[in-house]
Amino acid sequence: MSIDAVAFRLALKKGLGRSMLMLRSDPDNPALRDALLDACIMNDVYDRQCESTRDGYLHRLISVSGQSPFFWDALRGRLGAGFHDDHDVAQIFAILCLIAAEDQRFDRQELRTFLQCASDHLVEPCMWALVKLDGIDGVLLGIHRIYESVVADLDGEGWLVQQLIQTLKERDGEEQSSKAVEYARTVCPELDRLMVLVAEKAPRPAPAGPKNYAEFKANVEAGRSPRTAWVRDADQTDIILAAQDMLAERDERRVRSYLRVFRERAFPLPAATLFPLTRHENPMIAYGAMRILGRIRSPEVRTAALDFLAAGRVRDALDLLQANYHSGDFEVIGRAIERSVLNDETCHRIGFSVLHLLEQSPAVIQESVPVLLWLYENEPCTLCRRDVVRRLGEGGALPGWMAEEVVFDAEPRVPDQAVAHPPSGNCS
């Protein structure tokens, strides 16, 4: 059976477990091998700040391909070039560490030498992989490379020391890693000094919050974000003042600060007063106003949502439907999605809003199944895909084919959802 390489590349880009099933059925296909190599070189994670890295996902595929020597040789040559638009050295290095851990034929010393000589900007993103490979020896090499920068900026860089130790604990367990660290401190003065400095670093006191609305407004005008504690405890009179000042404000930064108030507190004025902000030229302000309106149950808000659906503005409609959903709306939402041309960012916004809507109205999961199945295929964020799988499972609508492939998903916690919610007989 010859697998479509384009479909395989798409599955790799999204981190779908489908890629494993495809590769297993055609492991000797050179087009799949080349696609997998490209995925190893490039980092296709949608949100690198939140999503899991892809090295483990890609290494599992390499192992199944039976071509580890090919990938070892192909990836080694990419290490020395640094970061470029067409490749990610940190991901390449992590995959090489996993290949070396699996097979003693591959020379780990090459990886150690690379980290010893790598540019400073490559050390931090790469050193975690070496700790997972070499244990305490990887920690000591990392400490050697980051020592000067941590001493120079303990507040900003001290977390690196703590994270190195935590990575070792995850590899070797609490007891064994603690013993290894204690011994290493006796033979590595740099490690000992850094651990002492980090332990002694006094926590910064939390800045005092405003005592009244006048101080709160002064903070906003000075460009400081509102403190959550004050917003939560403020009386309703002050919340009304904040709403009125926000609507009168013209400075974009201040408007965004005021909008944060209504993440915690209900907007106290008529919904119609917010509509002008939904048309603001700053997309962050417009989006913030949409989110606030979505929490207000109002015929005007629902009408606006339905108008957006008719116009193909699905993500805006979903924001407004959060407190205004009526049974049957998901059918309209699905038709609007089918008519739309959507990019990854828009698909992600739609996914986020659908999942949030289901949190507000969990009883309508069955109505949302067609949209959830669409999101599984189109949502670029693996974290949101995990929640899509969870919602399908909770609704008894997890298809058998999906349960089979999510075991190999790039997001490690996706398989847990399939285990917790096995597919029903009528969903296969």
Side-chain angles (χ1 to χ4, degrees):
M1 176 183 179
S2 181
I3 296 296
D4 180 3
V6 174
F8 183 68
R9 284 182 181 273
L10 185 59
L12 287 173
K13 184 178 189 304
K14 295 176 179 175
L16 289 167
R18 184 177 305 156
S19 59
M20 177 66 79
L21 304 182
M22 298 169 80
L23 186 61
R24 279 179 170 177
S25 68
D26 197 7
D28 299 322
N29 186 330
L32 302 191
R33 181 199 65 190
D34 292 343
L36 179 54
L37 177 60
D38 288 343
C40 292
I41 293 168
M42 297 176 287
N43 190 333
D44 283 324
V45 172
Y46 177 72
D47 186 344
R48 298 189 189 188
Q49 290 185 320
C50 300
E51 295 183 72
S52 298
T53 57
R54 291 279 173 88
D55 48 285
Y57 167 77
L58 295 167
H59 175 251
R60 289 196 300 272
L61 292 166
I62 290 171
S63 296
V64 166
S65 76
Q67 301 183 66
S68 293
F70 166 82
F71 284 94
W72 175 267
D73 291 336
L75 294 174
R76 284 165 59 209
R78 297 279 182 160
L79 282 182
F83 284 108
H84 292 280
D85 290 341
D86 64 344
H87 68 286
D88 183 337
V89 172
Q91 177 172 278
I92 293 169
F93 184 80
I95 293 169
L96 287 169
C97 285
L98 290 171
I99 293 174
E102 186 178 56
D103 193 328
Q104 294 295 325
R105 291 178 298 170
F106 303 114
D107 185 8
R108 299 184 179 195
Q109 188 55 44
E110 285 191 46
L111 303 173
R112 299 170 187 138
T113 300
F114 167 76
L115 198 60
Q116 286 172 335
C117 303
S119 302
D120 290 345
H121 73 282
L122 285 173
V123 173
E124 186 269 315
C126 290
M127 63 186 181
W128 321 112
L130 194 67
V131 174
K132 294 175 184 176
L133 175 67
D134 273 352
I136 190 63
D137 290 335
V139 171
L140 294 178
L141 198 159
I143 289 294
H144 171 71
R145 287 305 317 268
I146 66 173
Y147 179 76
E148 296 295 340
S149 63
V150 174
V151 170
D153 182 14
L154 196 61
D155 287 335
E157 302 292 324
W159 69 273
L160 292 172
V161 180
Q162 297 169 315
Q163 189 58 47
L164 279 171
I165 303 303
Q166 180 59 35
T167 303
L168 182 67
K169 288 180 180 179
E170 293 169 0
R171 177 189 189 271
D172 295 338
E174 183 78 33
E175 182 177 355
Q176 183 176 338
S177 62
S178 295
K179 290 179 180 179
V181 169
E182 286 307 307
Y183 174 74
R185 292 179 70 170
T186 67
V187 297
C188 178
E190 294 168 315
L191 173 63
D192 184 62
R193 185 185 179 201
L194 287 183
M195 292 191 70
V196 169
L197 289 174
V198 170
E200 290 178 346
K201 184 171 71 71
R204 292 181 177 179
K211 297 181 178 64
N212 51 50
Y213 184 74
E215 288 188 14
F216 164 80
K217 185 175 181 179
N219 283 345
V220 171
E221 291 176 348
R224 293 188 288 272
S225 295
R227 295 190 58 76
T228 301
W230 183 87
V231 172
R232 185 182 60 243
D233 298 335
D235 63 39
Q236 189 65 7
T237 301
D238 289 345
I239 297 300
I240 292 172
L241 287 173
Q244 292 170 338
D245 285 338
M246 178 183 74
L247 296 175
E249 184 59 67
R250 293 294 174 265
D251 182 89
E252 291 186 3
R253 185 175 60 177
R254 294 174 184 173
V255 172
R256 291 182 64 182
S257 290
Y258 280 119
L259 283 170
R260 294 188 185 100
V261 171
F262 304 107
R263 294 177 185 175
E264 298 289 330
R265 299 290 292 269
F267 187 72
L269 303 181
T273 61
L274 272 173
F275 282 126
L277 284 182
T278 67
R279 298 185 291 272
H280 200 284
E281 61 184 15
N282 184 320
M284 297 303 296
I285 291 176
Y287 176 60
M290 287 283 193
R291 295 296 306 278
I292 295 169
L293 275 171
R295 296 171 57 191
I296 302 173
R297 186 179 296 276
S298 159
E300 291 176 298
V301 176
R302 175 168 172 78
T303 297
L306 296 179
D307 289 343
F308 283 146
L309 278 178
R313 294 174 59 179
V314 183
R315 60 181 186 179
D316 293 331
L318 284 164
D319 288 337
L320 298 187
L321 284 174
Q322 297 296 315
N324 296 281
Y325 181 87
H326 288 183
S327 181
D329 284 348
F330 263 112
E331 184 177 350
V332 183
I333 293 166
R335 290 199 300 268
I337 288 173
E338 290 175 0
R339 297 193 306 267
S340 303
V341 178
L342 306 170
N343 58 24
D344 279 354
E345 181 183 356
T346 307
C347 288
H348 182 50
R349 275 279 305 276
I350 289 173
F352 182 85
S353 296
V354 165
L355 291 166
H356 191 261
L357 192 157
L358 290 175
E359 288 179 12
Q360 314 306 312
S361 308
V364 302
I365 289 178
Q366 283 296 331
E367 297 181 15
S368 71
V369 167
V371 172
L372 289 173
L373 292 173
W374 178 86
L375 282 173
Y376 180 82
E377 299 291 345
N378 294 280
E379 165 63 72
C381 172
T382 57
L383 292 176
C384 290
R385 185 165 66 244
R386 175 195 65 194
D387 291 333
V388 167
V389 174
R390 174 172 62 87
R391 289 298 184 186
L392 286 168
E394 290 172 348
L398 185 69
W401 61 264
M402 189 182 294
E404 183 181 6
E405 69 180 45
V406 297
V407 174
F408 308 107
D409 200 274
E411 168 51 49
R413 290 162 290 186
V414 169
D416 296 339
Q417 303 306 324
V419 172
H421 306 287
S424 59
N426 62 353
C427 295
S428 58

